[in-house]
Amino acid sequence: MTLPRIEVRRIGDEGEPIVIIDDFAPAPARLVAEASAAPLATLGGFYPGVRAPAGAAYCAEVGPLVAGAARRVFGFAETLAFDRALFSLTQTSPGELTLPQRLPHIDDVAPGKLAIVHYLCAEDWGGTRFFRHRSTGFETIGPDRHRAYLDALAADLRRDGEPEPGYIDGPTTMFEPIAAVDARFNRAVIYRSSLLHCAAIDNRRDLPADPARGRLTIASFLSAT
C-alpha cells in the first residue's frame, strides 16, 4: 500500500493553512464503485449536483489521517467528529447555476469546523480555488465578519450586477483567487470551513451522470476542538 504524502501550504494574506494529502484513502477504486451504486440525489440547494452519504466505514478509514492534520496543522487536540461525508457528483450545467453557485462560498462560520474535498476523478476535472473578497479583503468569514461580509457582498451585487452564468474560472470584479489545488485521483485537501472557496470547473465540458467518468468527490464536514 502506498503511504499518503502530505503537504501543508499557507495561503493568502491571512496565511490560512490548507493540507493536501495524496494517496488519501486506502481503496479509492472501491469508493468509486460505491458511488456508482449509491442513490445519488439532490440534497439541498447549494451543491450543483447530486449526493449520497459515503458511510461510516469511509470515515473510519481516513479518520486517523485527518485527526493528525487537525492536531498538528489546525491546533485541534481534543475531539474530532465527521458531521457528514457525501459522495458528490457535479452535474448542474453552467447555464442552470443559481446565484450562490456562481460565487465563492464558505461551508460554516463557526470555529472548530473543517472541510475536506477528496477527489475521485481524473486531473482534468479541475480542483478547488480559494478566494479573497475584494471590497472587504476577507479570505475567511467567521462569526465576527459574517454580517459585514454579507452586507458588502449585497452592495457589490447592487453596484456590479450578478455574475454571468457559469462556474468561476478566475478573477472576477468581486473576488480574487489566492490559491488553487489541482484535482488528482485520491488526493484530498483539508481546510477551515470559513475559507472562501469554489470548485474549479471548465465551463466548456459536459458533466456526465456516471460517477466513474465525471467530477466525483467526497465532501466531508467535521467538528473539532
Side-chain angles (χ1 to χ4, degrees):
M1 183 177 69
T2 305
L3 293 176
R5 300 185 304 279
I6 302 172
E7 176 189 358
V8 179
R9 298 181 192 169
R10 291 194 173 269
I11 64 172
D13 293 340
E14 296 182 22
E16 264 295 307
I18 61 173
V19 182
I20 301 164
I21 305 178
D22 288 314
D23 299 307
F24 180 64
R30 189 200 73 223
L31 294 171
V32 175
E34 289 178 6
S36 297
L40 297 168
T42 301
L43 296 177
F46 290 104
Y47 179 72
V50 290
R51 287 178 147 170
Y58 172 76
C59 300
E61 285 181 345
V62 302
L65 189 56
V66 176
R71 182 174 60 253
R72 292 191 299 271
V73 178
F74 297 101
F76 298 118
E78 295 183 15
T79 64
L80 180 74
F82 280 78
D83 298 329
R84 59 198 187 281
L86 302 168
F87 290 116
S88 303
L89 182 65
T90 308
Q91 278 196 299
T92 305
S93 65
E96 296 176 338
L97 295 173
T98 64
L99 175 59
Q101 292 169 341
R102 306 194 319 261
L103 298 169
H105 64 279
I106 59 171
D107 296 315
D108 206 310
V109 300
K113 298 289 187 177
L114 296 174
I116 307 171
V117 178
H118 180 195
Y119 306 103
L120 294 171
C121 57
E123 295 181 19
D124 59 357
W125 276 114
T128 302
R129 290 192 185 98
F130 299 91
F131 291 86
R132 176 185 303 116
H133 181 231
R134 293 183 187 273
S135 65
T136 61
F138 295 163
E139 298 165 357
T140 56
I141 312 297
D144 57 331
R145 292 178 169 181
H146 196 207
R147 184 71 264 163
Y149 170 70
L150 292 177
D151 290 345
L153 182 59
D156 292 342
L157 291 166
R158 287 193 299 270
R159 182 187 64 244
D160 299 326
E162 294 186 2
E164 294 294 320
Y167 292 96
I168 301 169
D169 59 4
T172 74
T173 57
M174 301 177 202
F175 294 94
E176 176 184 5
I178 58 171
V181 175
D182 295 331
R184 180 176 295 171
F185 186 73
N186 204 24
R187 166 178 283 179
V189 56
I190 308 173
Y191 50 91
R192 291 189 202 274
S193 297
S194 58
L195 194 58
L196 282 164
H197 66 282
C198 197
I201 296 172
D202 188 340
N203 285 293
R204 299 166 297 181
R205 296 196 65 175
D206 292 330
L207 296 166
D210 179 1
R213 294 175 49 242
R215 191 183 188 276
L216 176 66
T217 63
I218 298 177
S220 299
F221 307 93
L222 302 93
S223 298
T225 57

